Amino acid sequence: MKSRRDFLHKVSAAAAALPFVPSLALADQKEGKEESYQGPVLRVAICGLGSYGTRVADAMQACTRAKLVGAISGTPSKLKEWQSKYGIPEKNCYNYENFDNIRNNPDIDAVYVITPNALHKPQAIRVAKAGKHVISEKPMALNAAEGQEMVDACKKANVKLLVGYRMHLEPKTLEIIRLRKAGEFGKTPFFQGLCGFKIGDPTQWRLDKKLAGGGSLMDIGIYAVNGSRYMLGEEPTWVTAQEVKTDPVKFKEGVDETITFQLGFPSGAVASCLSTYSMNNLDRFFLNGDKGFAEMWPSTGYGPIKAHTNKGEIEYPHVTHQTVQMDEMSDIILKGKKVEVPLDGEEGVKDLKIMDAIVEATKTGKKIPIKL
Ligand code: NAD
């Protein structure tokens, strides 16, 4: 049987080659909790106990620097269930009416908002006003102006604001970024991001403009927007975009079914992307350079992520993204840790500015300038 020491040795050897990778988190994952960890722990309440909230709660059971301690829900039975499943005390449970009282609770440091998109902004601002750090799911808001309001509210309240960009901490993603920075691919004039899945139930909130703020772009296309930026390592200056709708009954006005978009970058690089709710098998990133290339497929799912370059497979143990994310967020919030690809509110606003421009481009058919 492999000993913990052997494993840590391997992880640190790998981490030497992958300086961006959160190695302690990886060691924790493989071997269970890091028993020797004595530092500060981020005590988190989750707001919105739906499918992703539950995934995060489960993943947090393996965290060492973050702990699930509270819950906010409109459904009393779910609160009861979470109390017994995750050992959450009654005094750390709130509903959507009374959660401002969290300000009087010294046992909670941060609230992770995992509700439908339209609720992120109002709930995040209430959390900030209650003096707690905010983690918001993506997209952080419905547009850039709303996102900026969240950033401003958190600054004013002197609390941190982070966005649940779990791929910013994913080892294979970080390795490709490291290789690109090291010049392994040469100049990188092209990125392709294909993101989509066939969405089911037509009555779900994801297809309700009021709650979702849009359609596939807000939900899944955001990964291609975000990925274009961190894969190419530049900020786009223009966008063109086209919308295709085959089912106007399911995808009502303002809810996009499929959008193709192109982003232009200062070096002359171009990203060509597809966001859709009507095709499966689309979870692929491709970065092309004049000396080499990298491909990830799947590139943004829950994993295992698969990645290779022109030189071969990128091997790295699978980690539960949400466990790593919450441990790293603890370090960012409590220790001021800087990460390779930021996941703060300002980063979220940049993506929303690009998505605002994409929507404008689909409506006008024009090339829209972007200023981040
Ligand atoms: P979900 O429908 O499974 O859960 C949403 C939760 O919000 C439910 O518990 C629901 O009861 C609650 N809710 C509160 N007010 C509501 C209202 N007015 N209408 C509808 N529901 C309400 O959705 P989900 O898949 O958990 O997504 C939640 C958020 O998480 C979204 O913003 C989504 O984009 C994000 N998400 C992120 C990832 C990721 O990988 N980062 C993955 C999935 C979802």
Side-chain angles (χ1 to χ4, degrees), residues 73-148:
S73 170
T75 314
S77 59
K78 278 200 212 163
L79 286 171
K80 281 274 168 253
E81 190 194 319
W82 276 45
Q83 281 180 45
S84 64
K85 187 170 171 198
Y86 302 117
I88 295 172
E90 170 84 32
K91 70 169 191 60
N92 289 355
C93 291
Y94 297 86
N95 59 41
Y96 294 118
E97 283 72 48
N98 70 11
F99 78 79
D100 309 271
N101 295 337
I102 216 162
R103 70 162 56 82
N104 304 317
N105 191 330
D107 299 330
I108 294 174
D109 304 309
V111 175
Y112 193 166
V113 176
I114 318 186
T115 47
N117 306 344
L119 305 178
H120 297 173
K121 182 192 93 166
Q123 290 171 342
I125 291 177
R126 282 171 68 186
V127 170
K129 284 188 174 160
K132 305 295 179 183
H133 300 295
V134 180
I135 304 167
S136 166
E137 246 325 305
K138 45 62 48 181
M140 71 186 278
L142 300 189
N143 53 54
E146 280 198 356
Q148 190 58 47

Side-chain angles (χ1 to χ4, degrees), residues 10-52:
K10 279 195 187 134
V11 165
S12 32
L18 300 171
F20 305 155
V21 170
S23 58
L24 181 60
L26 295 179
D28 296 345
Q29 286 262 299
K30 189 81 175 182
E31 294 275 312
K33 293 196 177 201
E34 174 61 64
E35 278 146 29
S36 61
Y37 179 72
Q38 300 286 330
V41 170
L42 185 74
R43 298 162 305 168
V44 178
I46 289 181
C47 173
L49 317 184
S51 89
Y52 196 64

Side-chain angles (χ1 to χ4, degrees), residues 9 42 53 64 102 158 181 183 187 218 222 234 243 266 268 318 365 371:
H9 177 76
L42 185 74
T64 54
I102 216 162
N158 203 20
K181 283 189 160 177
K187 278 180 71 169
M218 294 297 273
I222 187 171
E234 295 186 73
E243 183 176 357
H318 172 65
K371 200 163 184 310

